[in-house]
C-alpha cells in the first residue's frame, strides 16, 4: 500500500526528483494538509500549494471540500481539484443549468454532497443532470428554492442514494412532488420541509409510507393535521420530529404518541399536554410559546427516564407546574425558562435543588427572581457551564459574587442589563474556562472589573459591552492583552472608547466580529489598525462612527480580505471609499444609509465592482436615481435590495434601549 502511495505521489509531482521534500512520505505531507484544513488558517492551504510544484499537485489531489466565492471561479476549480466530494455553493447566488451540467460531468464519480441553499437560476433540467450523473450524492441542500416546482422534485427523485435532503421554503413544491421524492429516494434519513406551504397530509403520509429509514423530520409550518401524525409516528427509526407552527395539530392528534414511535428523541410543538406514554427515548422537549405549563402537563414527562433538555421559553408556568418538573426522575442537563411568566424565587429554588446535574440554565427576563434564586442555583448546580440571565433586574449585585465563587466550570454568562458591579466581575473572573461573557447595559462595571477578566479569563472568545458606558480604553486594553483568542467584541455606544481601544484590539489576531457603532471617539486611525492586525475579520459595524472616512476604507480593502458584512451607515465615507471596498471578494452584505458623500454614480460603480454581493440595504431616496436596468442586472446576479425610508437620526434615543428590553422609562 505504501508503495502505491509513493507511486501516486510521483505521478502527482513530475518534478519530484530534484525536490528536497522527497524525504517526506505522502502520509506525512497529507497529515500536514489535514492540520492546515481548518478555519484558523484560511490561507494556509494556498500558501502550502504555492511552496513548490510537488506541494501544488499534492494539494490539488487531496482537497475534498471547496466553497468558491463565485460561480465564475468554478471552471478553474473543476480543472484543478478532480476529487471533490463536498461542494458548498452558498456564496454563489448565480448558478444556472449549465453550471450544474459542468459540475455533474466533472465530479460525477466523487461528489457526495452539494449546498445550493443560496443559489438561483437553475431549473429541473440542471438538477436532473446533477442527480443522474452524480449517483453517489447523499446530501443536498435546496433550501430557499422559492421558484422550484414539482418538476424539480421529480428530478430530485432520480437521486436513488440520497440520505439527507433540505427543502426549506420551497413554497411551490406540492404533495405530488413530495410523492415523487418519496418513491425515488427510499434511503432518506433526514428531510426538512419547513415552510413548504403546499405540502399537506398526503405528501407527509407518502414520505412515512415509502421512506422507512427516516430519523429526522422537520414539518414546521406545514398545513398538516393530525391525520398524518399516525403515519409519521409509525416510523420506527424516527428520533427527531419538529412540528413547530403546525397549528392544525392539537393535543388529540399528538395523543397517538402513546402507542407509537418508541425511538423518538426530540419533539417540538406548542401543545403536548396529552403526551403520557410512548417515545421512551425522548431526550429533548420544546414547548416554546405554547400553552400554560401546569402540573398535569409536567407530570406527562415522568415516564421519560432519558429526558435531558426541557425548553419552555415564553410559556406561563404555574407554581404547581414547577413543582411537578422538580419531581422528574430524569437527569435533566438543560432548562430554559426565557421570558417565562410565573417563575419565582420559591419555585426556581425548589426546582434546582432536585436537578443538581444541570449544565445549562436560561432565565432570561424572569423578572421576579432575586438573590434567593441565584443562591440556590449556585449552591445546587456547581457544574453549571451556561447561565443566561439577561434582564433579571431584581437580582442584586451581591448575588454575582456567588456565581464566581461556586460555579468554577462556567463557560457562558449572559448578565446583560443587570446590577453586576466590579466586585461581581472580579469573582466571575475566577471562572477560567469562561468563553462567552455578555455585559451589555451594565452601568455598574468599570475598567477595574474588566481588568480582572483580562487577567484570568484567557479563553474568552466573545465579549459584549454594549452601552456599558463606564468602560474606557484601559479596560479594553486589559481584555486585548489577556484574551488572545477573542473572536467577537461589541463596544457599541460607549463614549469613552477611542482609537486606543482599537489599536489594543488589533493584537487579537483571531477577531472575526467587531461592533463599534455609536462610538464618536474612534476614527479611521483605529480602524486602520484593526484592518492591518485582524485579518480574520468577517463582520464589521461602524454605524454612526462619524470620524471614520475613506482613509479607513483603504486599509480595509487591502488587508480585510475575509470581510463578509459591513454597516457603513452615517459614516463619513464617500464614493472613493465605497469603490475601494468593492475589491473585497468575500463581501456579501452591506448596509449603506445616510452617507452624505455618496452619489448615485459612485454607488452604482461600487455595487457593479463588488461581484459577491447578495444583500444591500439602501435609503429609498436612491431607488429613483438608479437606472432600472442596473437594478435588474444586480438582481439577476443574485443581489437583493432592501430599501429603507428612515429619516436621518444623528443620535439614538437614549431611552430607546429601555423600551427594547421592556423597562419603563418613567421615573417612579
Amino acid at each position: 500500500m505504501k508503495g502505491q502511495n509513493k507511486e501516486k505521489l510521483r505521478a502527482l509531482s513530475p518534478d519530484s526528483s530534484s525536490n528536497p521534500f522527497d524525504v517526506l512520505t505522502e502520509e506525512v505531507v497529507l497529515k500536514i494538509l489535514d492540520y492546515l484544513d481548518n478555519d484558523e488558517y484560511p490561507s494556509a492551504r494556498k500558501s502550502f500549494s504555492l511552496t513548490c510544484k510537488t506541494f501544488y499537485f499534492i494539494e490539488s489531489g487531496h482537497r475534498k471540500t471547496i466553497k468558491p466565492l463565485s460561480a465564475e471561479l468554478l471552471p478553474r476549480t473543476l480543472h484543478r481539484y478532480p476529487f471533490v466530494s463536498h461542494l458548498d455553493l452558498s456564496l454563489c447566488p448565480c448558478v444556472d443549468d449549465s453550471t450544474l451540467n459542468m459540475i455533474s460531468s466533472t465530479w460525477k464519480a466523487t461528489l457526495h454532497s452539494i449546498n445550493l441553499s443560496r443559489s438561483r437560476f437553475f431549473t429541473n433540467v440542471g438538477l436532473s443532470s446533477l442527480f443522474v450523473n452524480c449517483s453517489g450524492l447523499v446530501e443536498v441542500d435546496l433550501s430557499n428554492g422559492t421558484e422550484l416546482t414539482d418538476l424539480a422534485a421529480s428530478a430530485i427523485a432520480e437521486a436513488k442514494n440520497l440520505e439527507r435532503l433540505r427543502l426549506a421554503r420551497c413554497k411551490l413544491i406540492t404533495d405530488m412532488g413530495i410523492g415523487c421524492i418519496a418513491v425515488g429516494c427510499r434511503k432518506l434519513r433526514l428531510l426538512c420541509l419547513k415552510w413548504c406551504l403546499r405540502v399537506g397530509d398526503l405528501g407527509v403520509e407518502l414520505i412515512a409510507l415509502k421512506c422507512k429509514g427516516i430519523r429526522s423530520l422537520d414539518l414546521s409550518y406545514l398545513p398538516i393535521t393530525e391525520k398524518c401524525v399516525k403515519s409519521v409516528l409509525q416510523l420506527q427509526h424516527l428520533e427527531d420530529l419538529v412540528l413547530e407552527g403546525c397549528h392544525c395539530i392539537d393535543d388529540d392528534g399528538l395523543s397517538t404518541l402513546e402507542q407509537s414511535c418508541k425511538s423518538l428523541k426530540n419533539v417540538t410543538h406548542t401543545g403536548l399536554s396529552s403526551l403520557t406514554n410512548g417515545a421512551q427515548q425522548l431526550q429533548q422537549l420544546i414547548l416554546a410559546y405554547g400553552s400554560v405549563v401546569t402540573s398535569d402537563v409536567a407530570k406527562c414527562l415522568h415516564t421519560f427516564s432519558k429526558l435531558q433538555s426541557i425548553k419552555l421559553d415564553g410559556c406561563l408556568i404555574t407554581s404547581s407546574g414547577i413543582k411537578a418538573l422538580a419531581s422528574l426522575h430524569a437527569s435533566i442537563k438543560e432548562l430554559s425558562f426565557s421570558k417565562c411568566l410565573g417563575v419565582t424565587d420559591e419555585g426556581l429554588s425548589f426546582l434546582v435543588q432536585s436537578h443538581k446535574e444541570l449544565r445549562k440554565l436560561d432565565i432570561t427576563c424572569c423578572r421576579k427572581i432575586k438573590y434567593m434564586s441565584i443562591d440556590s442555583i449556585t449552591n445546587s448546580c456547581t457544574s453549571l457551564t451556561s447561565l443566561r440571565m439577561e434582564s433579571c433586574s431584581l437580582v442584586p449585585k451581591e448575588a454575582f459574587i456567588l456565581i464566581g465563587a461556586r460555579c468554577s466550570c462556567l463557560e457562558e454568562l449572559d448578565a446583560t442589563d443587570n446590577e453586576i458591579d466590579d466586585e461581581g466581575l472580579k469573582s466571575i473572573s475566577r471562572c477560567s474556562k469562561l468563553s462567552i461573557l455578555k455585559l451589555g447595559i451594565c452601568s455598574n462595571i468599570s475598567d477595574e472589573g474588566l481588568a480582572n477578566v483580562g487577567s484570568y479569563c484567557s479563553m474568552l472568545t466573545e465579549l459584549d459591552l454594549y452601552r456599558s458606558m463606564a468602560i474606557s480604553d484601559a479596560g479594553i486594553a486589559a481584555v486585548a492583552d489577556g484574551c488572545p483568542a477573542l473572536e467577537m467584541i461589541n463596544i457599541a455606544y460607549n463614549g469613552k472608547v477611542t482609537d486606543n481601544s482599537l489599536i489594543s484590539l488589533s493584537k487579537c489576531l483571531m477577531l472575526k466580529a467587531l461592533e463599534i457603532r455609536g462610538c464618536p471617539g474612534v476614527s479611521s486611525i483605529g480602524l486602520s489598525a484593526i484592518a492591518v492586525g485582524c485579518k480574520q475579520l468577517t463582520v464589521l459595524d461602524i454605524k454612526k462612527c462619524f470620524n471614520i472616512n475613506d482613509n479607513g476604507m483603504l486599509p480595509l480593502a487591502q488587508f480585510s480580505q475575509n470581510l463578509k458584512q459591513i454597516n457603513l451607515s452615517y459614516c463619513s465615507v464617500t464614493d472613493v471609499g465605497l469603490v475601494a471596498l468593492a475589491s473585497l471578494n468575500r463581501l456579501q452584505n452591506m448596509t449603506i444609509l445616510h452617507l452624505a458623500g455618496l452619489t448615485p454614480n459612485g454607488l452604482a460603480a461600487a455595487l457593479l465592482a463588488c461581484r459577491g454581493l447578495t444583500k444591500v440595504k439602501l435609503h429609498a431616496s436612491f431607488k429613483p436615481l438608479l437606472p432600472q436596468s442596473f437594478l435588474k442586472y444586480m438582481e439577476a446576479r443574485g443581489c437583493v435590495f432592501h430599501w429603507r425610508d428612515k429619516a436621518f437620526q444623528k443620535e439614538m434615543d437614549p431611552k430607546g434601549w429601555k423600551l427594547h428590553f421592556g423597562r419603563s422609562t418613567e421615573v417612579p
Side-chain angles (χ1 to χ4, degrees):
M1 180 63 72
K2 290 185 178 180
Q4 292 177 355
N5 286 338
K6 289 182 178 180
E7 289 299 323
K8 188 187 297 183
L9 178 58
R10 292 192 188 99
L12 287 170
S13 50
D15 296 332
S16 61
S17 57
S18 59
N19 198 306
F21 291 105
D22 278 348
V23 295
L24 299 178
T25 65
E26 183 183 12
E27 288 82 0
V28 171
V29 177
L30 295 182
K31 282 289 185 182
I32 295 172
L33 271 176
D34 288 336
Y35 179 77
L36 297 178
D37 194 14
N38 59 64
D39 293 336
E40 294 184 16
Y41 309 102
S43 60
R45 288 185 65 107
K46 181 178 180 181
S47 299
F48 177 94
S49 67
L50 295 176
T51 302
C52 60
K53 289 184 178 180
T54 300
F55 282 11
Y56 179 89
F57 286 107
I58 292 175
E59 195 272 338
S60 295
H62 179 263
R63 187 183 287 268
K64 300 296 187 295
T65 301
I66 61 170
K67 186 177 182 179
L69 298 175
S70 169
E72 297 173 354
L73 300 175
L74 272 173
R76 268 190 298 168
T77 303
L78 293 165
H79 175 71
R80 178 171 177 183
Y81 301 109
F83 304 118
V84 167
S85 58
H86 304 283
L87 177 60
D88 186 347
L89 296 176
S90 57
L91 299 181
C92 304
C94 299
V95 175
D96 55 20
D97 289 341
S98 62
T99 303
L100 293 184
N101 288 333
M102 183 169 53
I103 291 169
S104 63
S105 61
T106 303
W107 292 318
K108 59 184 177 181
T110 62
L111 195 63
H112 291 162
S113 73
I114 185 169
N115 186 344
L116 293 163
S117 62
R118 300 292 176 185
S119 305
R120 300 164 57 195
F121 307 116
F122 57 85
T123 68
N124 60 291
V125 177
L127 288 177
S128 181
S129 171
L130 180 68
F131 294 124
V132 169
N133 290 330
C134 300
S135 58
L137 271 174
V138 295
E139 182 172 8
V140 176
D141 192 342
L142 292 168
S143 300
N144 307 304
T146 54
E147 297 178 3
L148 297 179
T149 65
D150 286 342
L151 289 174
S154 179
I156 296 170
E158 299 180 71
K160 305 301 181 183
N161 293 309
L162 201 60
E163 296 180 5
R164 296 178 293 278
L165 175 62
R166 293 176 175 84
L167 296 173
R169 289 172 291 280
C170 292
K171 299 180 180 180
L172 297 183
I173 293 180
T174 70
D175 289 336
M176 184 178 296
I178 296 300
C180 292
I181 293 173
V183 172
C185 306
R186 300 291 187 93
K187 296 183 180 181
L188 275 179
R189 299 291 183 271
L190 177 149
L191 178 61
C192 176
L193 297 175
K194 186 175 183 178
W195 286 112
C196 292
L197 300 179
R198 298 193 182 189
V199 176
D201 288 334
L202 178 59
V204 175
E205 287 177 338
L206 288 170
I207 288 292
L209 179 65
K210 299 294 184 180
C211 303
K212 297 295 186 180
I214 288 281
R215 286 177 167 79
S216 177
L217 186 60
D218 190 341
L219 304 176
S220 301
Y221 301 98
L222 266 60
I224 56 177
T225 69
E226 60 271 12
K227 180 182 177 182
C228 69
V229 172
K230 186 175 182 180
S231 298
V232 170
L233 297 179
Q234 288 176 352
L235 292 166
Q236 296 185 4
H237 301 287
L238 189 62
E239 298 177 352
D240 189 353
L241 174 62
V242 184
L243 298 171
E244 181 180 352
C246 297
H247 301 297
C248 296
I249 301 178
D250 56 19
D251 289 342
D252 292 335
L254 285 164
S255 65
T256 53
L257 280 169
E258 297 178 9
Q259 291 83 30
S260 331
C261 206
K262 304 297 183 182
S263 63
L264 196 61
K265 292 183 179 178
N266 300 278
V267 179
T268 306
H269 191 259
T270 57
L272 286 175
S273 61
S274 62
L275 181 58
T276 56
N277 293 301
Q280 298 301 319
Q281 302 301 314
L282 187 69
Q283 294 180 0
Q284 182 182 57
L285 179 67
I286 304 175
L287 300 175
Y289 301 96
S291 56
V292 179
V293 179
T294 62
S295 60
D296 291 335
V297 174
K299 286 177 182 177
C300 295
L301 309 178
H302 281 211
T303 58
F304 305 132
S305 60
K306 296 189 178 181
L307 193 60
Q308 296 183 13
S309 173
I310 302 176
K311 297 185 179 182
L312 304 173
D313 301 350
C315 293
L316 172 61
I317 306 176
T318 65
S319 58
S320 62
I322 286 186
K323 289 181 180 179
L325 289 173
S327 64
L328 293 178
H329 299 300
S331 178
I332 304 298
K333 299 295 193 301
E334 180 177 9
L335 283 172
S336 183
F337 298 123
S338 176
K339 301 180 182 177
C340 286
L341 298 177
V343 178
T344 63
D345 271 346
E346 293 76 13
L348 190 57
S349 298
F350 183 72
L351 180 62
V352 296
Q353 288 173 24
S354 301
H355 296 294
K356 296 186 177 182
E357 296 183 11
L358 206 61
R359 298 293 186 271
K360 296 182 179 181
L361 178 63
D362 190 341
I363 49 175
T364 297
C365 294
C366 291
R367 302 183 188 279
K368 293 183 179 180
I369 68 170
K370 302 177 184 177
Y371 182 92
M372 177 182 175
S373 288
I374 304 302
D375 185 21
S376 297
I377 291 168
T378 56
N379 190 48
S380 300
C381 309
T382 55
S383 297
L384 208 63
T385 60
S386 173
L387 177 59
R388 299 179 182 179
M389 49 180 297
E390 176 184 330
S391 297
C392 294
S393 49
L394 295 182
V395 174
K397 59 185 181 182
E398 293 80 11
F400 291 92
I401 297 176
L402 302 178
I403 297 174
R406 298 174 178 172
C407 301
S408 59
C409 298
L410 205 64
E411 298 174 9
E412 176 184 12
L413 175 65
D414 187 349
T416 302
D417 189 21
N418 272 285
E419 297 300 317
I420 185 173
D421 63 0
D422 287 340
E423 285 301 312
L425 211 50
K426 181 179 180 180
S427 178
I428 288 167
S429 66
R430 300 179 188 177
C431 305
S432 58
K433 296 180 181 179
L434 201 65
S435 61
I436 299 175
L437 180 59
K438 297 186 178 182
L439 301 168
I441 321 176
C442 292
S443 56
N444 296 329
I445 63 171
S446 69
D447 294 338
E448 181 182 346
L450 208 56
N452 286 288
V453 174
S455 297
Y456 302 108
C457 301
S458 60
M459 298 175 67
L460 200 68
T461 60
E462 183 175 338
L463 178 62
D464 189 345
L465 296 168
Y466 171 85
R467 282 193 179 276
S468 295
M469 299 182 183
I471 299 298
S472 70
D473 293 335
I476 302 300
V479 170
D481 290 337
C483 308
L486 197 67
E487 295 181 3
M488 178 273 172
I489 187 168
N490 183 348
I491 49 177
Y493 297 105
N494 286 317
K496 294 183 178 181
V497 168
T498 71
D499 283 335
N500 289 330
S501 287
L502 300 191
I503 292 171
S504 297
L505 289 171
S506 67
K507 304 172 188 175
C508 300
L509 305 184
M510 305 307 296
L511 195 66
K512 295 179 181 178
L514 173 64
E515 184 166 345
I516 52 175
R517 68 163 63 189
C519 292
V522 302
S523 71
S524 296
I525 295 173
L527 186 60
S528 298
I530 290 290
V532 173
C534 307
K535 293 185 174 60
Q536 306 306 317
L537 196 67
T538 59
V539 178
L540 176 64
D541 190 338
I542 54 176
K543 178 181 178 180
K544 294 189 177 180
C545 293
F546 306 112
N547 293 320
I548 290 181
N549 53 30
D550 293 339
N551 291 332
M553 299 302 102
L554 299 178
L556 280 179
Q558 182 177 358
F559 299 104
S560 300
Q561 295 300 312
N562 291 299
L563 196 65
K564 295 180 181 179
Q565 179 177 325
I566 188 169
N567 188 340
L568 296 166
S569 302
Y570 294 88
C571 293
S572 300
V573 176
T574 70
D575 294 345
V576 175
L578 199 62
V579 171
L581 287 181
S583 63
L584 297 174
N585 292 328
R586 289 179 170 84
L587 195 59
Q588 302 172 44
N589 190 330
M590 297 180 72
T591 301
I592 316 168
L593 300 174
H594 298 296
L595 293 186
L598 188 62
T599 67
N601 288 338
L603 174 62
L607 297 183
L608 280 173
C610 197
R611 303 194 62 82
L613 280 180
T614 58
K615 181 179 178 181
V616 179
K617 287 185 181 180
L618 289 168
H619 197 273
S621 60
F622 273 104
K623 191 171 185 179
L625 302 178
L626 296 170
Q628 286 299 309
S629 57
F630 164 76
L631 295 177
K632 289 181 178 179
Y633 173 76
M634 291 297 298
E635 289 171 352
R637 252 177 31 180
C639 181
V640 177
F641 289 96
H642 293 262
W643 303 100
R644 297 290 183 265
D645 196 17
K646 290 185 177 181
F648 183 88
Q649 183 183 15
K650 186 173 183 179
E651 297 294 338
M652 183 177 179
D653 181 359
K655 298 180 180 180
W657 65 268
K658 293 185 178 181
L659 295 175
H660 174 73
F661 284 94
R663 291 172 58 170
S664 173
T665 59
E666 297 180 2
V667 178

